[in-house]
Amino acid sequence: MPEEWATFGTDLHLSISRPGVRVSLERALRTAVQDGRLRPGVRLPSSRSLASDLNVARNTVAEVYAQLAAEGWLTARRGSGTAVSAQVATSDGPAPEIPPYEQESLLPYDLRPGTPNVLAFPRGAWLSAARAALTNAPPDAFGYDHILGRPELRHALAEYLGRVRAVRTTPDRIVIAAGTVHSLSMLCTALKRRGASTIAFEAYGWHALVAAARMQGLRTVTINVDGAGARVDELYATNADAVLLTPAHQFPTGYALSAERRRAVAQWARATGGLIIEDDYDGEFRYDRQPVGALQELAPDRVAYLGTTSKSLAPGLRLAWAVLPADLVESVRKVKKATVWSSDAVQQLTLNEFIRSGAYDRHVRRSRLVYRRRRDRLVLARDHRAPDVPFTGTPAGLHVVMTLPDRLAAHTDDELCDLAASRGLAVHGLTTYRIAAGRDDHPSLVVGYGTPADHAFEPALDILFGLLAPR
Amino acid sequence: MPEEWATFGTDLHLSISRPGVRVSLERALRTAVQDGRLRPGVRLPSSRSLASDLNVARNTVAEVYAQLAAEGWLTARRGSGTAVSAQVATSDGPAPEIPPYEQESLLPYDLRPGTPNVLAFPRGAWLSAARAALTNAPPDAFGYDHILGRPELRHALAEYLGRVRAVRTTPDRIVIAAGTVHSLSMLCTALKRRGASTIAFEAYGWHALVAAARMQGLRTVTINVDGAGARVDELYATNADAVLLTPAHQFPTGYALSAERRRAVAQWARATGGLIIEDDYDGEFRYDRQPVGALQELAPDRVAYLGTTSKSLAPGLRLAWAVLPADLVESVRKVKKATVWSSDAVQQLTLNEFIRSGAYDRHVRRSRLVYRRRRDRLVLARDHRAPDVPFTGTPAGLHVVMTLPDRLAAHTDDELCDLAASRGLAVHGLTTYRIAAGRDDHPSLVVGYGTPADHAFEPALDILFGLLAPR
């Protein structure tokens, strides 16, 4: 049955006219190649399959293919079928190359913060979880349902976040998102639709989050940061409807929000009706014995808790979650439905299997050990080579802040970063993460130790301390 | 090495005080269970692992576990470790159940349009593609790069869309999205930021798209639809900045936009600077010999072409794309970056492998054969049992529209759908898809033949024609 056979072929869109099928087919194919619609290297259907699709004789197609091959438009190779010639010149010229990397450093060594070691992504374990997910997925997972996220994953996250981060929630208050930018974007849209106008950020942070709030039309203001975390007392003067905080490990200064300020900001939220948005971006990575739980526990009805796999697994997965106060769930559902609809069910079910099988805990604990050792090596290198450079933020996370001593005061941090770049090392100054206007008193570097491959970590430290060590 | 061993354990967040570790640990665990943070059934770390994490003696943890098990808070089972007791009563009460289905029909038979047969999702082939994707992914795929989408997939789509839908594009003009709602949402935001205020929709369509435009603050207007597709001549009077069209197979009426109107709407776009948004939601499914290519080919600089895997594979994947006019690429990139950042790399690379291996073509061609046979069975059933019921939209897609004859004029389409529901069949009237205000002259049903499982299709037709057949 030729029709059944054609089922396993290749699709090709061609408009031909009758009579004159042969001439018409030849012209249609030549034009499609010439004007670049059929790009060099594209495989064409077999003559049998195309003949069946177009309802013409197989020989007609075979003759047209042979003619165009003779003219150099197509190439035919035994066993691999007919394809558009790789050397053909199209009116478009060659397809523009997409630059392979948009942000990635072209330097051999990278100590910028914000990305875990992507070489350590557990490909095999993730594939096993994907296999289990695809095997066990109920058919409705492939449909349009569940705007907020798959129930299996939301149950698993409620348990996980309660156990590991002391988050108080139930599955029905969790929404799955494509990253913390997405969680924040949905929250800002929902707040704006309720009449909110202003959101406060810490004076230092990740510019992408500020951009997300502005994209939704919110005004942004800042509060200062000191050794006890964000100066939440400043919130009263801002008239902010919401504040984004990084309480466990301020990004990037590294301080934890003090117990007193945790109570104070919960009090601010209750007094003003403001919303606390807790960005727990690296809450899994704490190395000392005294854990710092989520602020959300203090005021579950005033805090939206944002978590992500971007540091614990990989940013490329785009898998994150927000734990919402009950009165925000329906608004966020409406926003998500009218902007992205739902989230990828296969990836959600894969993460669900990954968590339930214990693979997530194992991966986090293994990574924590690796990163703690890197942190220890970083501190040791400092102690040996530049003992007058103070660090902050060492008890947790994937980066530290180094305050530059007076002997390096001739340099701005940008100048020092340029100098590092000239020696092959990408590193950022604190200025890069400054949200508030103004200048810093002490030039500082934000040194990430998550990103490098294992073999690149020591050489990166060598370059860094070559710059920082006293002459 | 106990520390190494603990690497493979389970995480648990507990705050304990010293001295008095034993009492403190017992109280912390009891409170966490009592107040619902540790939910019934949650597995706890081994005593060895928790002791290492908290820096206390292993016996202390073991004794606390035993005490709490004796009190009924925990259960210990040989070989499966210690867990929170399933019978424990928390102050929260039990976790609320998330309703398993939000939209899915609770009826046994479903002839509503819009969803393919999710039972036919090629789980095995998709898993093979995922394996290849995870094996071949460059490390940077797991990082933060590529806001618009993975270059591999955008190259594959440029080739595929040129070959199969006659779309004229280069990879750098393609943006990956989480569905057509997401593509449209990003476009509306970008247009709004350029000063656009109004978008036109066809008088019949999918309400979710209208909601997406309104969420971004655009005013929505409608143009009528007739047997030659949308009445694009009406656009001049609307002052619309953009129009969303379904040219290949108007949703849901099923007409193709005529060649004359294709030229006319391209002319409108050039004359007014308006943008045509081409929603090619089911372009792969055309059953007659004369293909209908993408409108985009006529005016690549005035058309944003939207494609999706929601009909060809499954809506649950949330994998879609927009082919943009060159002057919109940077605006859409900014919008995507500040709302969702990038797209899931693993799923993108999986689709890339799926397309390049030929599996996508094979799946589409196999599905097309299955759906064409269903369409034929539907037409045959009509010819035998209700020959006076005219169909429109039969040459393509996954649904037809049935105009109800005068003998059924006593019923509105809603009434007929209620009657169908009482017999176990979910089906929608045309009214459900009416975007413009007003009433239809002829009550009609929109009958989808994609959704049912194979075994459910004939019984569903039986119920339908039991209602439509003359007595």
Side-chain angles (χ1 to χ4, degrees):
Chain A
M1 287 174 71
E3 186 182 74
E4 290 290 353
W5 196 90
T7 305
F8 302 93
T10 303
D11 264 356
L12 176 63
H13 174 93
L14 285 176
S15 290
I16 57 168
S17 52
R18 294 157 209 271
V21 162
R22 200 198 132 138
V23 172
S24 163
L25 175 60
E26 197 175 308
R27 186 178 301 136
L29 269 173
R30 194 184 284 114
T31 307
V33 173
Q34 199 162 16
D35 71 7
R37 172 164 82 81
L38 291 179
R39 305 211 67 86
V42 164
R43 282 189 55 185
L44 301 184
S46 68
S47 56
R48 182 197 288 265
S49 168
L50 186 61
S52 160
D53 285 358
L54 298 175
N55 200 22
V56 301
R58 187 183 171 187
N59 269 353
T60 306
V61 178
E63 284 162 23
V64 168
Y65 276 9
Q67 174 63 31
L68 293 176
E71 294 174 14
W73 299 103
L74 305 181
T75 55
R77 242 177 264 108
R78 196 175 301 274
S80 67
T82 303
V84 178
S85 172
Q87 283 78 40
V88 81
T90 68
S91 57
D92 275 358
E97 279 303 307
I98 301 176
Y101 304 105
E102 287 166 1
Q103 301 193 309
E104 207 214 30
S105 170
L106 297 172
L107 300 174
Y109 301 105
D110 192 349
L111 291 177
R112 294 174 302 170
T115 307
N117 178 4
V118 292
L119 290 168
F121 181 79
R123 299 183 188 213
W126 190 257
L127 181 64
S128 301
R131 184 183 299 110
L134 279 162
T135 307
N136 302 331
D140 84 291
F142 299 105
Y144 276 107
D145 278 330
H146 298 298
I147 300 297
L148 288 171
R150 288 297 307 176
E152 300 90 334
L153 176 60
R154 293 157 73 204
H155 275 277
L157 284 171
E159 286 185 4
Y160 176 80
L161 296 172
R163 169 166 62 79
V164 170
R165 302 295 300 133
V167 170
R168 287 188 56 101
T169 188
T170 46
D172 58 324
R173 283 169 47 200
I174 298 179
V175 55
I176 305 301
T180 295
V181 164
H182 189 209
S183 292
L184 180 63
S185 176
M186 290 192 288
L187 275 169
C188 287
T189 314
L191 291 172
K192 187 92 197 306
R193 287 163 60 85
R194 293 181 167 200
S197 65
T198 307
I199 179 171
F201 285 86
E202 296 166 326
Y204 295 91
W206 193 34
H207 283 281
L209 297 179
V210 181
R214 288 185 182 153
M215 179 62 76
Q216 298 310 323
L218 291 181
R219 194 171 68 95
T220 59
V221 295
T222 57
I223 56 175
N224 285 302
V225 169
D226 64 22
R231 289 279 307 274
V232 295
D233 56 307
E234 295 177 1
L235 282 172
Y236 288 95
T238 63
N239 275 320
D241 301 286
V243 58
L244 184 122
L245 296 174
T246 48
H249 189 236
Q250 203 282 326
F251 185 82
T253 65
Y255 296 107
L257 192 67
S258 70
E260 189 188 341
R261 291 195 185 167
R262 288 173 167 243
R263 287 189 295 273
V265 73
Q267 175 54 32
W268 166 81
R270 277 188 289 264
T272 65
L275 179 72
I276 301 164
I277 303 172
E278 176 174 21
D279 177 9
D280 196 36
Y281 64 103
D282 67 358
E284 289 90 349
F285 297 116
R286 179 151 283 274
Y287 312 119
D288 59 7
R289 300 289 180 177
Q290 190 55 40
V292 177
L295 168 60
Q296 189 263 5
E297 188 189 20
L298 281 189
D301 283 339
R302 301 295 340 143
V303 177
Y305 169 93
L306 313 188
T308 176
T309 59
S310 288
K311 308 296 179 266
S312 58
L313 276 166
L317 290 182
R318 313 311 302 146
L319 270 169
W321 45 85
V323 177
L324 302 172
D327 68 344
L328 267 171
V329 173
E330 185 50 29
S331 332
V332 169
R333 201 185 76 88
K334 279 200 181 114
V335 169
K336 188 175 177 190
K337 186 171 180 177
T339 49
V340 301
W341 196 266
S342 58
S343 304
D344 172 8
V346 175
Q347 285 293 79
Q348 287 186 82
L349 293 173
T350 301
L351 179 59
N352 173 58
E353 297 282 352
F354 201 75
I355 293 173
R356 286 180 196 266
S357 68
Y360 192 73
D361 275 75
R362 283 193 297 276
H363 180 71
V364 164
R365 290 171 73 87
R366 197 179 297 119
S367 306
R368 192 188 291 140
L369 194 61
V370 169
Y371 292 135
R372 184 170 65 198
R373 285 178 179 161
R374 287 189 176 192
R375 192 237 6 211
D376 294 346
R377 282 154 73 190
L378 180 62
V379 171
L380 202 67
R382 186 269 315 264
D383 292 349
H384 278 100
R385 301 186 59 183
D388 62 341
V389 175
F391 283 7
T392 60
T394 44
L398 304 178
H399 68 273
V400 298
V401 173
M402 305 183 172
T403 309
L404 300 181
D406 288 343
R407 60 182 169 77
L408 290 166
H411 296 287
T412 64
D413 54 9
D414 278 351
E415 284 167 2
L416 210 63
C417 294
D418 288 348
L419 205 54
S422 74
R423 300 185 186 184
L425 174 68
V427 64
H428 277 168
L430 185 58
T431 321
T432 305
Y433 302 95
R434 190 165 177 106
I435 308 294
R439 270 186 74 82
D440 302 315
D441 295 337
H442 296 286
S444 304
L445 296 183
V446 183
V447 174
Y449 47 89
T451 308
D454 284 333
H455 64 83
F457 187 56
E458 288 291 349
L461 291 189
D462 263 357
I463 299 174
L464 180 69
F465 286 104
L467 289 167
L468 298 183
R471 316 256 143 210
Chain B
M1 287 174 71
E3 188 183 71
E4 291 290 352
W5 195 90
T7 305
F8 302 94
T10 302
D11 262 357
L12 176 64
H13 174 93
L14 285 176
S15 289
I16 58 169
S17 51
R18 295 158 209 272
V21 162
R22 198 198 133 137
V23 171
S24 164
L25 175 60
E26 195 176 309
R27 185 178 302 135
L29 269 173
R30 194 185 285 113
T31 307
V33 173
Q34 199 161 16
D35 70 8
R37 172 164 81 81
L38 292 178
R39 308 211 65 87
V42 164
R43 283 188 56 185
L44 300 184
S46 68
S47 55
R48 182 196 288 265
S49 167
L50 186 60
S52 160
D53 285 358
L54 298 174
N55 200 23
V56 302
R58 185 182 172 187
N59 269 354
T60 307
V61 178
E63 284 163 25
V64 168
Y65 275 9
Q67 175 62 30
L68 292 176
E71 293 175 13
W73 298 103
L74 305 181
T75 54
R77 243 177 264 108
R78 193 176 302 272
S80 67
T82 303
V84 178
S85 171
Q87 284 78 40
V88 80
T90 68
S91 57
D92 275 357
E97 279 304 308
I98 301 176
Y101 304 105
E102 288 166 1
Q103 299 193 313
E104 208 215 32
S105 171
L106 296 172
L107 300 174
Y109 301 105
D110 193 348
L111 291 177
R112 294 175 303 170
T115 307
N117 178 6
V118 292
L119 290 168
F121 180 79
R123 299 183 188 215
W126 190 257
L127 181 63
S128 301
R131 183 183 300 111
L134 280 162
T135 307
N136 301 332
D140 84 290
F142 299 105
Y144 275 107
D145 278 331
H146 298 298
I147 301 296
L148 287 171
R150 288 297 306 174
E152 300 90 333
L153 176 60
R154 292 158 73 206
H155 276 277
L157 284 171
E159 287 185 3
Y160 176 80
L161 296 173
R163 170 166 60 80
V164 171
R165 302 295 300 135
V167 170
R168 287 188 56 101
T169 188
T170 46
D172 58 324
R173 284 169 46 201
I174 298 180
V175 55
I176 306 301
T180 296
V181 164
H182 189 210
S183 292
L184 179 64
S185 177
M186 290 192 288
L187 274 170
C188 287
T189 314
L191 292 173
K192 187 91 196 308
R193 287 162 61 85
R194 294 182 167 198
S197 65
T198 307
I199 179 172
F201 285 87
E202 295 166 326
Y204 295 91
W206 193 32
H207 282 283
L209 297 180
V210 182
R214 288 185 182 152
M215 179 62 77
Q216 299 310 324
L218 292 181
R219 193 171 68 93
T220 59
V221 296
T222 56
I223 56 174
N224 285 302
V225 169
D226 64 22
R231 290 280 307 274
V232 295
D233 56 307
E234 295 177 2
L235 282 172
Y236 287 95
T238 63
N239 274 320
D241 301 286
V243 58
L244 184 123
L245 297 175
T246 48
H249 189 236
Q250 204 282 328
F251 185 82
T253 65
Y255 296 107
L257 192 66
S258 70
E260 189 188 343
R261 290 194 185 169
R262 288 175 167 241
R263 286 190 295 272
V265 73
Q267 175 54 31
W268 166 83
R270 278 188 288 264
T272 65
L275 179 72
I276 301 164
I277 304 172
E278 176 174 21
D279 177 9
D280 195 37
Y281 65 103
D282 68 358
E284 289 90 349
F285 296 117
R286 180 153 283 275
Y287 312 119
D288 59 7
R289 299 286 180 178
Q290 190 55 40
V292 176
L295 167 60
Q296 190 263 5
E297 189 189 17
L298 281 190
D301 283 339
R302 301 299 337 146
V303 177
Y305 169 93
L306 313 188
T308 176
T309 59
S310 287
K311 309 295 179 265
S312 58
L313 276 166
L317 291 182
R318 315 309 303 145
L319 271 169
W321 46 85
V323 177
L324 302 172
D327 67 345
L328 267 171
V329 173
E330 186 49 29
S331 332
V332 168
R333 201 184 77 88
K334 279 200 182 114
V335 169
K336 188 175 177 189
K337 186 170 181 178
T339 50
V340 300
W341 196 266
S342 57
S343 304
D344 172 8
V346 175
Q347 287 291 81
Q348 287 186 81
L349 292 174
T350 301
L351 179 59
N352 173 58
E353 298 282 353
F354 201 76
I355 292 173
R356 285 181 196 265
S357 68
Y360 193 72
D361 276 74
R362 284 194 296 277
H363 180 70
V364 164
R365 291 172 71 88
R366 197 181 296 118
S367 305
R368 191 187 292 142
L369 193 62
V370 169
Y371 292 135
R372 184 171 64 197
R373 284 178 180 159
R374 286 189 178 193
R375 189 227 22 201
D376 294 345
R377 281 153 74 189
L378 180 63
V379 171
L380 202 67
R382 186 268 314 264
D383 292 349
H384 278 100
R385 300 186 58 183
D388 62 342
V389 175
F391 283 7
T392 61
T394 44
L398 305 178
H399 69 274
V400 298
V401 174
M402 306 183 171
T403 309
L404 300 181
D406 287 344
R407 61 184 167 76
L408 290 166
H411 296 287
T412 63
D413 55 10
D414 279 352
E415 283 167 3
L416 209 63
C417 293
D418 288 347
L419 205 55
S422 74
R423 300 184 187 183
L425 174 68
V427 65
H428 277 168
L430 185 58
T431 320
T432 304
Y433 302 94
R434 190 165 177 106
I435 308 295
R439 270 186 74 82
D440 302 315
D441 296 336
H442 295 286
S444 304
L445 296 182
V446 183
V447 175
Y449 47 88
T451 308
D454 283 333
H455 65 83
F457 185 59
E458 288 291 349
L461 291 188
D462 263 356
I463 300 173
L464 180 69
F465 286 103
L467 289 166
L468 299 182
R471 318 255 143 211

